[in-house]
Amino acid sequence: MKRLLIDLDACSQCDECGMLCSYTQHHYNNGITNLREFAHFAIVCRRCDDAPCVASCPWEALEMQETKMLKRYMMRCTSCKSCSRACPFGVIYPETIPFVISRCDFCLGRLRGDELPICLQSCAHGGIKYADLEENEEESVFKASDYLLVKTDYKWDRVKEPPKKR
Ligand code: SF4
Ligand code: SF4
């Protein structure tokens, strides 16, 4: 199955993302901002028990779900960036919280034959790939969802078993 792979380390080298996007719902859509936030929540967020990002939001727009994955309610978020300042680990980048949000639908159902998403063709930094790819922890490639893999060396060492009490 073909998946998008976003390389967060390559993305972080780029000052201003000029990636094109063919999502049809709004003209200035830049789906990569949406993917970057999702990738950070899925792979980089440390899932704090007290979640200062959630506590800092004046509009209850952030929620720590039962799965310990953060969710941002776009219709409540005013892009005040308080959550970005509150996170002690730098997980929430201010530029991925625009007031007018972007979406990525992985171009599902819109690609014909060997056609590639337009974002691949417009990123000069190799931040996005689209191919038959699988999770590969040795190469720092992690699955964030059925359609999205994330490559980054800036992951934290996730504890697979809870530490034993002393
Ligand atoms: S940017 Fe949005 S989610 Fe973050 S604190 Fe402000 S309103 Fe809440
Ligand atoms: S404060 Fe940062 S690391 Fe902690 S839950 Fe929020 S985004 Fe994740």
Side-chain angles (χ1 to χ4, degrees), residues 3-166:
R3 297 189 170 96
L4 275 179
L5 182 149
I6 179 168
D7 185 334
L8 288 181
D9 303 344
C11 263
S12 67
Q13 304 300 314
C14 183
D15 289 338
E16 193 169 333
C17 180
M19 204 179 269
L20 301 176
C21 182
S22 60
Y23 187 80
T24 50
Q25 301 305 316
H26 80 77
H27 185 59
Y28 298 107
N29 193 73
N30 179 334
I32 197 75
T33 53
N34 184 251
L35 286 187
R36 284 175 71 192
E37 179 176 77
F38 186 79
H40 279 119
F41 285 176
I43 307 297
V44 189
C45 170
R46 298 182 75 111
R47 316 197 191 297
C48 309
D49 285 337
D50 59 350
C53 57
V54 172
S56 76
C57 179
W59 301 110
E60 298 184 354
L62 270 184
E63 180 183 83
M64 182 63 83
Q65 300 174 98
E66 279 182 18
T67 56
K68 297 295 272 176
M69 171 92 175
L70 276 175
K71 176 173 181 175
R72 192 158 64 91
Y73 290 88
M74 308 299 190
M75 295 300 283
R76 294 185 203 156
C77 175
T78 59
S79 188
C80 72
K81 326 277 195 219
S82 301
C83 52
S84 177
R85 284 188 284 272
C87 172
F89 302 102
V91 169
I92 306 176
Y93 286 17
E95 64 267 30
T96 62
I97 325 170
F99 182 66
V100 180
I101 60 155
S102 291
R103 281 289 190 193
C104 172
D105 63 359
F106 304 101
C107 287
L108 290 177
R110 288 190 283 116
L111 299 176
R112 304 277 170 262
D114 291 334
E115 211 177 345
L116 295 173
I118 195 169
C119 54
L120 269 82
Q121 302 160 39
S122 53
C123 174
H125 302 274
I128 286 271
K129 291 186 174 56
Y130 183 71
D132 286 308
L133 298 163
E134 298 291 338
E135 187 170 57
N136 184 336
E137 289 201 20
E138 281 179 15
E139 293 185 14
S140 300
V141 173
F142 305 95
K143 191 173 174 188
S145 75
D146 284 348
Y147 299 107
L148 182 67
L149 294 167
V150 181
K151 184 172 189 317
T152 181
D153 286 329
Y154 293 101
K155 69 183 191 306
W156 51 288
D157 287 332
R158 280 167 286 182
V159 179
K160 298 219 164 74
E161 289 177 25
K164 291 189 177 61
K165 288 212 170 100
R166 299 182 186 205

